[in-house]
Amino acid sequence: MIMYSYLIEHDLGLAPNPFGKYCTLAVCKSEIRKSKKLSVGDWIIGTGSSALEETTKKRLKGKLIYAMRVTEKITLEDYWNDKRFQYKKPVMNGTLVTMYGDNFYHKGIDGNWIQDDSAHCMTNGSCNPEHLRKDTRGKNVLISDHFYYFGNMAPAISKELLGVCHTTQGQKIVTPAELATAFIDWLTSNFQQGIHGDPLNWSEYNPNQLSLLL
């Protein structure tokens, strides 16, 4: 078992997308999503960053935004077509949950990627080529039905376990393995699986727009 750790700069319910039965990582973090080292049963955790603190005005360093055990890994194309994940296709005039759906990449008849209207498009709904390039480079979607999403209820990680946190851009594999195991023990002993809070950056919206799916 390995554990990838990274700093979350934006928490909008997009990456990860924790809604419904599954927590999914379908966009951003392309290096993790395409990693040949990552297998079903491995873990991914995201912790608070300076950038997230700046936008939310909250102290978030050393706090856990989410953790997921990867229970499935499929291609972006299979994700688009899988009937289980149709609810994750964005509805841009819907609730915040549907606006930040992460299932919006598919290939046209010419074999090129299409980016449907989504949170990664330009403001007028047209394709954002930079996001398209980075997102599709990830190749895979990581899926979990065993996850802990905290968002604005992010708990402080136990002091003796802070070594799991990454401190720069990118990601790291948590070492030694005993530290990752101790972190999982702490997590599973203290928290129930599922959604515990709203995405942190939703605080920028009007409260009556919030729609938390539990």
Side-chain angles (χ1 to χ4, degrees):
M1 184 274 292
I2 65 173
M3 176 180 288
Y4 275 98
S5 175
Y6 69 96
L7 295 172
I8 290 187
E9 296 185 359
H10 306 284
D11 180 38
L12 288 158
L14 177 67
N17 181 296
F19 304 114
K21 180 180 178 180
Y22 302 97
C23 181
T24 50
L25 191 61
V27 298
C28 302
K29 307 316 298 180
S30 60
E31 294 301 317
I32 296 178
R33 290 189 293 113
K34 72 179 183 180
S35 172
K36 294 182 180 179
K37 294 180 180 179
L38 187 142
S39 302
V40 169
D42 291 338
W43 284 79
I44 303 170
I45 66 171
T47 60
S49 67
S50 296
L52 194 57
E53 287 187 337
E54 185 173 344
T55 58
T56 61
K57 310 306 179 187
K58 292 178 178 287
R59 295 193 63 178
L60 295 166
K61 290 181 182 177
K63 291 190 175 183
L64 180 64
I65 311 303
Y66 87 105
M68 62 184 276
R69 186 180 72 190
V70 178
T71 54
E72 193 173 353
K73 181 168 69 170
I74 62 176
T75 66
L76 278 166
E77 294 168 87
D78 287 342
Y79 187 58
W80 172 262
N81 291 312
D82 196 312
K83 63 181 181 181
R84 294 175 297 166
F85 306 113
Q86 299 306 296
Y87 76 95
K88 288 185 181 262
K89 291 182 176 179
V91 179
M92 298 307 289
N93 61 352
T95 66
L96 288 173
V97 169
T98 63
M99 282 171 56
Y100 287 104
D102 65 358
N103 190 359
F104 48 81
Y105 286 111
H106 57 103
K107 288 187 175 179
I109 57 174
D110 59 0
N112 292 322
W113 284 107
I114 295 172
Q115 181 190 71
D116 275 10
D117 193 7
S118 63
H120 267 192
C121 286
M122 308 296 272
T123 55
N124 64 0
S126 62
C127 177
N128 182 317
E130 184 63 12
H131 274 313
L132 184 146
R133 181 185 67 81
K134 290 181 178 179
D135 290 339
T136 58
R137 188 175 63 190
K139 299 181 181 180
N140 298 310
V141 178
L142 305 179
I143 299 163
S144 176
D145 60 10
H146 184 110
F147 66 93
Y148 304 77
Y149 177 80
F150 297 100
N152 63 0
M153 300 300 291
I157 296 170
S158 181
K159 288 183 179 180
E160 63 268 22
L161 300 174
L162 285 173
V164 301
C165 298
H166 196 29
T167 56
T168 61
Q169 290 185 332
Q171 57 281 319
K172 74 171 184 178
I173 293 177
V174 174
T175 56
E178 291 79 9
L179 176 59
T181 299
F183 174 84
I184 293 169
D185 289 342
W186 167 80
L187 176 67
T188 56
S189 297
N190 288 282
F191 304 99
Q192 292 184 335
Q193 294 179 41
I195 298 176
H196 294 262
D198 285 315
L200 278 150
N201 289 117
W202 279 11
S203 61
E204 301 166 17
Y205 291 89
N206 188 300
N208 63 20
Q209 291 180 276
L210 302 182
S211 179
L212 179 62
L213 266 183
L214 293 171

